[in-house]
Amino acid sequence: MAAAVESPPPLSVLMVASEAQPYAKTGGLADVVGALAPTLARLGHQVTVVLPHYHEIGPQSGDTTTRTVRLGPRSFDARLTVVAAEPGLRWVLVGCDGLYDRDGLYGDHAGDFADNATRFGLLARVALDWAERSTGLPDVIHAHDWQAGLVPVWLHTASGSLAEVPSLFTIHNLAYQGLFPTESLDTLGLPRELFSIDGLEFWGQISFLKGGLVFADGITTVSRTYAREILGMEQGEGLDGLLRHREAVLSGIPNGIDVEIWDPARDRFLPRGYSADDLSGKRAAKAELLARYGLPTDPPALARPLIGMVSRMVDQKGLDLIRDAKPRLDALDATFTIVGSGADHYEEMWRARAAERPDRVGVVVGFDESLAHLVEAGADLFLMPSRYEPCGLNQMYSMRYGTVPVVRATGGLADTVTPYDAASGSGTGFVFDAYSADAMVDAIEAALDVFRQPERWRTIQRAGMRQDFSWDVSAAAYVQRYRDVIERRQAAGTAGGAPQGV
Ligand code: ADP
Ligand code: GLC
């Protein structure tokens, strides 16, 4: 008889993040935290996510307590609302008068909020206060992006049992670093010694992100290719040296997607559900999408290829290629539907295009969840010409919706989209390498050429729709990383076991 294999005990995980579905979202971080946390809970782990109680979240029912938390010279009354979402998962929403109760998560049109060091420093402090004072210390703390970068720093400077808790830090985007003037050290109550090359110092400022990278026990990022790319100068954002130094504890775990929220068969934002076997609901989505944008819906318009984008309008997303490609894009026999917001000049660029070609270009500037789903479903092609892309979710959503992605071969886009091969007819999308307007339009033209061959096109659509991007595999990889950092800590012994600086 085979001996019973003992499965390792479930873990108690405390996550700290600045956005998460279903509460607050500006980009993919929210999708990831909002899907990873419940997946871990369903795998049997105890997960608590600490998140700011932003104004847009509104009142939530749950147990509420107030805690006075010190941050440098000041004390803050933090109001914690604990929402028990499902077995094994609870949310701790952190409210604080004057800090999170305003419009916007990180800033407004005038730029980043001036008090972001305090807002996210407090988030980290409250999370650690929770870890210490609630029911037992967690096995591991998982901090996401710069907004949670001080969590590993304070674990490093902590005394007592809190100092023994290991941390994992996930980079969703290395370009956003949380840089603040040196004086913030005092505001945050961080020791001055941390202002060194081995600590938080980054070109004369302090960097929350660097704090996370230096002091976490393990580091992950959101695709394997991006994990490699950030070790080089081109994509290292000035932190590649540090990342190379920490390479032994750095790994890439690809993002999954929430296959319940993003399911063409049951999507509440679509006129009708559809599947790979019956794509008629996709045609209905296309008609509705064109109508929502006020574009023509006559038979020639319905037959014309429709190119969609759902994107933050920032340099990362390759919008300068779209600017430079204008003459060639204008010459395509295609329609565009775009939803996004971001830099004023890119918003303006799209508005101008829509004004110039009202029958061919539809643009909605803003954040609109329902439209994002409709674009994913109703478009024929989905365009992501990113300059860099840590993982990217929209290309996976589009494949699941039978919408063929045209992407640049970078980061997670390179990992998730298999280039179409004309000889065999295999592949899930169209991929270009060079960061140039011509390379992008060449790829779009190649896609349009196959679009005009319906049998071949269907094969690509179906290949994309068959991909499994669900979270299970990646959530298991996170659990493994949690166990790694726990073991590493145990092996190093509790005293002095915290990682050293560079
Ligand atoms: P990033 O996090 O860099 O913005 P991702 O592809 O990982 O890129 O994730 C973006 C997420 O944000 C997706 O869920 C996408 O649908 C959503 N999104 C981006 N812009 C908008 C918008 N204007 N309206 C609605 N959803 C948007
Ligand atoms: C970041 C990245 C994006 C990634 C998302 C979630 O915003 O820009 O590529 O998919 O985080 O990890």
Side-chain angles (χ1 to χ4, degrees):
M1 212 171 82
V5 180
E6 219 178 286
S7 54
L11 299 173
S12 127
V13 184
L14 181 69
M15 274 198 205
V16 187
S18 58
E19 52 184 273
Q21 287 271 54
Y23 293 108
K25 166 165 170 176
T26 67
L29 170 62
D31 302 43
V32 170
V33 177
L36 174 60
T39 307
L40 291 169
R42 279 163 220 161
L43 289 173
H45 305 284
Q46 297 292 321
V47 186
T48 303
V49 189
V50 179
L51 187 76
H53 198 156
Y54 300 108
H55 177 65
E56 66 178 53
I57 295 176
Q60 297 289 318
S61 49
D63 292 340
T64 305
T65 51
T66 300
R67 293 203 177 153
T68 303
V69 177
R70 271 198 88 74
L71 193 65
R74 290 172 69 190
S75 289
F76 292 86
D77 288 330
R79 248 183 346 276
L80 310 188
T81 306
V82 183
V83 183
E86 57 180 280
L89 174 63
R90 65 188 167 184
W91 299 89
V92 177
L93 302 171
V94 180
C96 186
D97 288 345
L99 288 190
Y100 312 117
D101 45 352
R102 60 180 83 155
D103 288 340
L105 268 53
Y106 312 124
D108 53 25
H109 262 273
D112 290 343
F113 294 134
D115 56 353
N116 274 347
T118 303
R119 296 171 78 232
F120 295 106
L122 186 75
L123 179 72
R125 267 266 57 107
V126 171
L128 296 180
D129 178 82
W130 168 273
E132 260 186 317
R133 292 211 258 160
S134 68
T135 48
L137 285 167
D139 296 313
V140 61
I141 306 192
H142 186 174
H144 295 268
D145 266 354
W146 75 260
Q147 292 88 344
L150 293 191
V151 169
V153 178
W154 272 316
L155 286 170
H156 172 75
T157 59
S159 53
S161 51
L162 190 60
E164 293 164 23
V165 179
S167 61
L168 184 74
F169 184 78
T170 296
I171 305 164
H172 293 265
N173 195 328
L174 197 66
Y176 297 88
Q177 304 192 341
L179 298 178
F180 301 101
T182 331
E183 299 76 63
S184 308
L185 286 172
D186 302 332
T187 323
L188 295 161
L190 286 165
R192 280 264 156 181
E193 307 85 87
L194 286 177
F195 191 68
S196 78
I197 192 160
D198 297 342
L200 272 57
E201 191 273 339
F202 189 74
W203 297 99
Q205 293 186 287
I206 66 161
S207 161
F208 277 31
L209 180 74
K210 189 179 170 197
L213 300 180
V214 170
F215 293 109
D217 297 273
I219 304 169
T220 64
T221 188
V222 290
S223 70
R224 292 196 184 90
T225 294
Y226 193 61
R228 238 185 1 258
E229 288 170 339
I230 55 178
L231 298 176
M233 282 250 291
E234 200 180 315
Q235 301 226 25
E237 302 286 348
L239 291 165
D240 46 297
L242 167 60
L243 288 165
R244 285 194 299 276
H245 176 77
R246 302 229 62 206
E247 194 177 345
V249 299
L250 167 71
S251 59
I253 302 180
N255 287 335
I257 63 172
D258 189 320
V259 290
E260 281 171 27
I261 294 178
W262 295 93
D263 179 359
R266 291 178 298 168
D267 191 320
R268 66 194 168 103
F269 297 114
L270 305 188
R272 270 168 49 203
Y274 64 90
S275 66
D277 297 330
D278 178 5
L279 290 167
S280 57
K282 184 163 173 61
R283 287 190 288 278
K286 182 171 182 176
E288 177 153 324
L289 177 59
L290 292 169
R292 277 273 284 278
Y293 276 91
L295 292 159
T297 53
D298 53 279
L302 284 172
R304 189 172 295 126
L306 177 55
I307 303 176
M309 280 185 91
V310 179
S311 182
R312 291 184 294 116
M313 291 185 181
V314 294
D315 290 336
Q316 173 192 347
K317 302 296 179 180
L319 291 160
D320 52 334
L321 297 188
I322 289 175
R323 184 195 59 217
D324 296 348
K326 183 172 188 307
R328 286 189 69 190
L329 290 177
D330 282 351
L332 297 175
D333 185 23
T335 309
F336 289 83
T337 49
I338 314 296
V339 56
S341 63
D344 291 346
H345 62 287
Y346 288 133
E347 293 183 354
E348 208 30 64
M349 171 186 88
W350 276 119
R351 282 202 188 95
R353 296 233 176 147
E356 202 180 308
R357 307 280 313 271
D359 57 331
R360 287 297 181 89
V361 180
V363 173
V364 169
V365 171
F367 195 91
D368 185 329
E369 189 80 27
S370 73
L371 207 49
H373 284 248
L374 195 58
V375 172
E376 292 288 3
D380 298 299
L381 281 72
F382 194 90
L383 182 59
M384 280 181 89
S386 304
R387 181 182 286 274
Y388 72 92
E389 196 61 73
C391 182
L393 299 170
N394 284 304
Q395 81 281 10
M396 292 191 266
Y397 299 151
S398 72
M399 283 185 266
R400 189 157 159 78
Y401 280 66
T403 302
V404 176
V406 178
V407 304
R408 180 157 174 267
T410 182
L413 298 176
D415 292 353
T416 52
V417 181
T418 310
Y420 174 68
D421 173 53
S424 63
S426 67
T428 56
F430 292 79
V431 181
F432 63 99
D433 276 299
Y435 190 74
S436 82
D438 280 333
M440 177 187 73
V441 185
D442 289 348
I444 297 175
E445 284 177 347
L448 295 179
D449 191 44
V450 182
F451 179 79
R452 288 184 282 269
Q453 307 168 58
E455 275 310 308
R456 284 179 164 257
W457 190 253
R458 297 261 175 286
T459 306
I460 306 177
Q461 287 182 297
R462 293 212 172 93
M465 293 179 91
R466 273 199 310 269
Q467 304 288 308
D468 180 3
F469 294 119
S470 59
W471 261 103
D472 300 347
V473 174
S474 294
Y478 276 105
V479 173
Q480 192 49 53
R481 290 293 87 77
Y482 297 152
R483 296 201 194 280
D484 291 346
V485 293
I486 294 167
E487 270 174 30
R488 206 171 295 139
R489 260 315 171 85
Q490 281 164 353
T494 49
Q500 298 307 308
V502 195

